[in-house]
Amino acid sequence: MTGSAPLWRLALGRIGRYTFVSAVLGFFALPLLWLATAPFDREPTITASLPRFTLDNFRLLLDNPYAIQSLVNSVYLAAGTAALVVVFAALAAYALSRVRLPGRDALLYGLLLLSSIVTGTATMVPLFELAFRLTLIDSRLGVVLVMTGGLLPAAIFILKDFMDATPTSYEESARVFGASPLQIVRHIVVPVVRPGLATVAVWAVANVWGNFLVPFLLLRGPDKAPAAVIMYTLYTEGGQADLALLSTFSLLYSLPVVLMFVFVSTRYGFRFHGGIKR
């Protein structure tokens, strides 16, 4: 009996852990189950259930004049912002990693801290005034520049760790053979830190893809609005959410980011030791 008591405790402990993990997984899986089934239901409700299969919800969504165009707009904004963030963050991170400047680390941490404390909501008035003076209101370029400025400090901070972990012996060899700094960055540093660049690109796309406030304030016409803004217009005349359109649009809205994450995760693995993939 004395030997069996620890076995009972161990079994009960495992059952308790598995029950807790199953409950947590079920709590987070139910919304995903609803998202996967509601677009194919004739009359979707707020509860997850077996759908009465139909494709009419997708036909109704295609009849919406702004739904598909908003997804294209989101691609433009996300791709443009990610490209600028990756390029500028890589150059700045490389410079901060290789050049010894007084107060370099304090400057970097200060930028990161300020970008975290001063959120987009607090800065929208001066940003709107700046965009107005630069005639960037109702311009996709204005949204891209504003989003790029907000994401750059954190992106530089992330990439600097990758740059610090990159061996400098390759750069020194290239410098001996007359390579310029830009050639060193392009042909030596970038191939080594590609996992870090992919991480920053996915992070930037995800931030822009789900951002509502900046495009809502800077873009006037619905033909230029991204999907995050158009989603809030999918309501009935009585002010109720149109679950058929909303669930279908949410499914299409989620697919690009999920597919991008799966592709990059399969390609690079997201398992890093410093800036070098294991």
Side-chain angles (χ1 to χ4, degrees), residues 92-135:
Y94 178 74
L96 289 173
S97 176
R98 297 297 186 263
V99 179
R100 300 296 176 181
L101 297 175
R104 178 192 60 180
D105 294 334
L107 173 63
L108 188 59
Y109 280 103
L111 289 175
L112 180 65
L113 183 63
L114 289 176
S115 66
S116 302
I117 295 177
V118 184
T119 60
T121 306
T123 59
M124 280 317 301
V125 173
L127 285 176
F128 184 88
E129 178 68 18
L130 179 62
F132 177 77
R133 292 182 180 275
L134 296 176
T135 64

Side-chain angles (χ1 to χ4, degrees), residues 50 89 118 170 179 208 271:
L50 291 176
V118 184
Y170 303 150
V208 177
R271 295 184 299 273

Side-chain angles (χ1 to χ4, degrees), residues 234-242:
L234 301 179
Y235 294 88
T236 63
E237 295 180 357
Q240 299 293 326
D242 190 335

Side-chain angles (χ1 to χ4, degrees), residues 263-278:
F263 171 77
V264 175
S265 179
T266 304
R267 182 69 175 81
Y268 296 106
F270 286 122
R271 295 184 299 273
F272 308 116
H273 178 67
I276 309 301
K277 179 183 173 183
R278 281 183 174 178

Side-chain angles (χ1 to χ4, degrees), residues 46-127:
I46 59 174
T47 60
S49 59
L50 291 176
R52 291 177 293 174
F53 186 81
T54 182
L55 294 177
D56 291 339
N57 296 335
F58 290 91
R59 297 190 185 97
L60 291 175
L61 186 65
L62 291 176
D63 292 336
N64 188 295
Y66 303 114
I68 303 303
Q69 181 60 40
S70 68
L71 292 173
V72 177
N73 294 335
S74 292
V75 172
Y76 287 155
L77 297 179
T81 303
L84 291 180
V85 168
V86 169
V87 171
F88 291 138
L91 294 175
Y94 178 74
L96 289 173
S97 176
R98 297 297 186 263
V99 179
R100 300 296 176 181
L101 297 175
R104 178 192 60 180
D105 294 334
L107 173 63
L108 188 59
Y109 280 103
L111 289 175
L112 180 65
L113 183 63
L114 289 176
S115 66
S116 302
I117 295 177
V118 184
T119 60
T121 306
T123 59
M124 280 317 301
V125 173
L127 285 176

Side-chain angles (χ1 to χ4, degrees), residues 9-20:
R9 295 195 190 98
L10 180 61
L12 290 176
R14 287 184 176 178
I15 292 173
R17 287 195 297 270
Y18 291 152
T19 303
F20 175 76

